Amino acid sequence: MKYTGGDIRRLGERIVEHNGSINDKDLELLQEYRISFTQPLTETFNALTQIKNRVDRRGIIAFRLKRIKTIINKVLRKPDMNLNRMGDIAGIRIIVRTETQLYKIVDAIISNFEISGKIRDYYKNPKTIGYKGVHIYIKDPNANKRIEIQIRTIESHNWATLVEITDLLYNTRLKELGYKNHFELGKFHALISRKISLTTEQAEHIYKVLNKYNYITKLSKVFRNNNNEVKKQWINVRPRSRYFLIESSSESIPKLEGFSDYNKAEEEYFKRYKENQEALIVLTAIHKPSFDQISIAYANYILSYHTFMDDIEAIIKELAVESLEINKKHRFRKIFRTYEELQANSIFQIFTSAEEIFVNQSDNDKLVLSSNKRLSTKKQKELRKQIKSEITKKGIAHREFMNEIKEAQGEKSIWNIRNRKFLKKHSKRVKKRLKALTVEFTTNK
């Protein structure tokens, strides 16, 4: 299909005029324009992969074409912006470990590519809601296409994907609209993005959101439900795949499909979009992909694990101890139950952290783990040692927390006696999970 810049500009105007509704002919035109970015995007990705490897071989680099629904939403959100001038239809994301590495990559991009427009540095000037990253637009010299490059540290990337997980689970649009969309959840994410100590008022807001929206329990349930099934899908696609189609939903297990041919993957994406324009589907490519990499890069689609569940634990413990110090017993018990939920999720993650391992069942003191292939005695020994080490660390941290609680209770009173009964009951469940379980390995047929 041949088209001009004017054709694409007028397409954007029609999208605005019809409030996002788009006929079949215009949809085909939009898709044709979208995939015209494929070749320059791929070439740029290959060049950036070499730069990333020189700076941080353990870093992650991925590319994607902007989802059709997201393009339409952005046109509606910014009606004065011409569609043919939208700069982030083609996007590459680089995730590194430190800010030092991040700025080395920024300098390399400036030295090796034609920069198009202003560099947006959200590390020096974070967005109000807490987003951090560096966005650079470059212009491909052959096709004259603009490509957006986002560089993030792993810490800021984890925060950004948590915002998108919240959007999916609570039907919000924090990523697009920030505070304007939902003040309570927006402020919550802004606070957890900070590295400085929280004030009592700020910590109170975090607790309020966790409690009001049942946040920890909801995330834990989704992650535990998805972990085994998504991992099995990954094992089935891994050997032959370079491109990945991920379809996510808050109501069902994410679908992960691999392709060796990009054009076939793009055809499948477009087919699924036409079948369900509200579906949350992304097509991506990751350099030398692994399950860990795709789980980190697209945590908001894979929905099987997020570092937030570990990061929030310190705040939960502080809130629990503070509640005892000011004698708010009901509040303390609610917070402790949240802590217990965190421990359950964390322990589950310890047992399933290995890519090839699934939890089949847990019965009394025996945990049955399975693999898609037979594990050697040496490998089983290594996994048992790793699990035992992580569980031991959790056990030590739990005992230290219980000592803090004991100290915060102060002098004996009727309240303290009742509280000790509550703690005995709930801490017993945590300790049971933390016991050195007998681990048995089986092979999936």
Side-chain angles (χ1 to χ4, degrees):
M1 182 185 298
K2 291 185 178 181
Y3 57 83
T4 65
D7 292 331
I8 302 304
R9 176 178 53 78
R10 287 187 288 275
L11 170 61
E13 291 171 353
R14 289 195 294 275
I15 290 172
V16 173
E17 181 183 352
H18 298 289
N19 196 31
S21 178
I22 184 168
N23 62 39
D24 290 344
K25 185 178 178 181
D26 278 350
L27 182 58
E28 292 287 346
L29 175 58
L30 179 56
Q31 172 66 351
E32 192 70 23
Y33 178 61
R34 185 175 161 274
I35 62 175
S36 71
F37 286 82
T38 301
Q39 185 173 345
L41 175 60
T42 303
E43 291 172 355
T44 304
F45 176 77
N46 292 337
L48 284 172
T49 297
Q50 295 180 39
I51 291 173
K52 189 276 300 179
N53 285 344
R54 288 197 293 269
V55 176
D56 183 8
R57 294 196 69 85
R58 290 166 57 191
I60 300 171
I61 182 167
F63 77 69
R64 62 92 184 108
L65 291 177
K66 202 173 190 72
R67 295 187 302 117
I68 293 172
K69 185 67 176 178
T70 312
I71 293 173
I72 293 172
N73 285 344
K74 187 168 184 177
V75 169
L76 293 175
R77 201 168 69 249
K78 298 183 177 183
D80 295 331
M81 177 195 67
N82 293 334
L83 175 56
N84 61 314
R85 297 184 65 187
M86 187 181 290
D88 60 348
I89 288 178
I92 295 171
R93 180 171 295 155
I94 303 173
I95 306 165
V96 292
R97 286 170 289 161
T98 69
E99 281 190 40
T100 300
Q101 291 171 332
L102 178 146
Y103 282 110
K104 282 183 180 179
I105 289 176
V106 170
D107 290 341
I109 292 171
I110 293 171
S111 299
N112 289 278
F113 294 90
E114 180 186 347
I115 306 303
S116 176
K118 182 181 178 182
I119 296 175
R120 292 174 170 81
D121 190 335
Y122 297 114
Y123 278 92
K124 292 178 181 176
N125 299 290
K127 289 188 177 182
T128 307
I129 197 173
Y131 175 77
K132 296 175 185 176
V134 176
H135 294 196
I136 303 176
Y137 295 92
I138 66 165
K139 186 177 287 187
D140 173 78
N142 299 316
N144 203 31
K145 299 281 191 182
R146 288 180 84 204
I147 297 171
E148 182 191 42
I149 305 168
Q150 294 181 4
I151 312 101
R152 299 172 177 171
T153 64
I154 185 67
E155 182 179 43
S156 56
H157 173 74
N158 286 336
W159 176 91
T161 55
L162 185 68
V163 170
E164 295 186 53
I165 289 172
T166 298
D167 280 345
L168 178 62
L169 298 184
Y170 293 92
N171 198 29
T172 53
R173 293 175 65 190
L174 295 170
K175 180 186 177 182
E176 293 178 288
L177 305 177
Y179 276 98
K180 289 188 291 185
N181 181 243
H182 197 295
F183 179 79
E184 276 186 326
L185 287 169
K187 185 177 178 181
F188 168 77
H189 284 284
L191 291 174
I192 63 176
S193 75
R194 299 185 180 187
K195 291 183 178 179
I196 59 174
S197 297
L198 298 172
T199 66
T200 301
E201 181 185 354
Q202 291 168 338
E204 179 64 30
H205 183 84
I206 288 176
Y207 166 69
K208 178 183 175 183
V209 168
L210 292 176
N211 184 47
K212 180 177 179 179
Y213 295 97
N214 205 21
Y215 199 86
I216 299 296
T217 300
K218 193 161 188 174
L219 261 64
S220 295
K221 183 179 179 182
V222 169
F223 293 159
R224 288 202 289 266
N225 285 346
N226 290 346
N227 187 283
N228 274 357
E229 295 307 314
V230 176
K231 196 180 287 185
K232 289 174 183 176
Q233 291 179 47
W234 171 258
I235 287 171
N236 288 331
V237 303
R238 182 180 56 180
R240 59 185 175 81
S241 303
R242 295 180 60 197
Y243 310 103
F244 304 96
L245 203 58
I246 314 170
E247 182 174 352
S248 192
S249 167
S250 60
E251 307 298 328
S252 59
I253 303 294
K255 297 175 184 176
L256 176 63
E257 189 174 353
F259 297 82
S260 57
D261 182 278
Y262 184 82
N263 291 328
K264 288 183 179 178
E266 190 60 61
E267 286 173 11
E268 182 63 22
Y269 165 80
F270 192 48
K271 174 188 170 186
R272 291 196 197 178
Y273 178 79
K274 288 189 290 185
E275 290 172 351
N276 180 7
Q277 297 188 8
E278 298 304 316
L280 186 62
I281 310 172
V282 67
L283 171 58
T284 185
I286 299 180
H287 178 65
K288 291 186 177 179
S290 67
F291 185 72
D292 281 346
Q293 281 195 334
I294 201 167
S295 295
I296 293 169
Y298 288 92
N300 50 310
Y301 285 84
I302 297 295
L303 296 173
S304 65
Y305 170 71
H306 199 282
T307 57
F308 170 78
M309 303 299 280
D310 298 320
D311 299 338
I312 197 67
E313 186 174 310
I315 295 175
I316 293 296
K317 287 178 176 179
E318 286 181 19
L319 288 169
V321 171
E322 182 190 70
S323 296
L324 282 177
E325 290 172 343
I326 59 178
N327 204 27
K328 289 189 175 181
K329 55 180 181 285
H330 296 300
R331 172 187 166 101
F332 167 78
R333 290 173 181 175
K334 281 185 178 180
I335 294 172
F336 194 89
R337 289 188 183 100
T338 300
Y339 164 77
E340 188 180 350
E341 182 69 41
L342 280 174
Q343 297 311 298
N345 187 79
S346 181
I347 292 163
F348 178 84
Q349 183 59 34
I350 288 171
F351 283 108
T352 59
S353 59
E355 182 174 309
E356 64 269 61
I357 294 300
F358 315 98
V359 174
N360 269 2
Q361 66 184 74
S362 178
D363 184 21
N364 297 325
D365 62 346
K366 181 180 289 186
L367 190 74
V368 179
L369 304 181
S370 66
S371 172
N372 63 308
K373 59 184 178 181
R374 186 174 179 81
L375 297 175
S376 66
T377 303
K378 181 180 178 182
K379 183 64 176 179
Q380 290 185 28
K381 186 177 180 181
E382 288 174 356
L383 287 171
R384 283 195 178 95
K385 184 178 179 181
Q386 179 184 330
I387 290 169
K388 185 177 180 180
S389 174
E390 293 300 318
I391 291 293
T392 299
K393 289 178 188 175
K394 277 288 172 188
I396 292 170
H398 176 68
R399 288 192 294 274
E400 289 174 351
F401 179 44
M402 296 308 294
N403 286 336
E404 287 184 59
I405 287 175
K406 185 177 178 180
E407 185 178 334
Q409 284 186 121
E411 296 296 324
K412 288 185 178 181
S413 67
I414 294 175
W415 142 239
N416 284 335
I417 292 170
R418 288 175 179 169
N419 200 47
R420 279 196 293 274
K421 289 181 179 179
F422 167 83
L423 281 172
K424 185 176 180 180
K425 174 184 175 183
H426 288 271
S427 184
K428 185 177 179 181
R429 289 209 294 265
V430 175
K431 287 178 181 177
K432 185 177 180 180
R433 293 189 180 108
L434 290 169
K435 282 173 122 180
L437 301 173
T438 301
V439 176
E440 178 179 299
F441 291 97
T442 65
T443 303
N444 281 339
K445 301 293 185 182

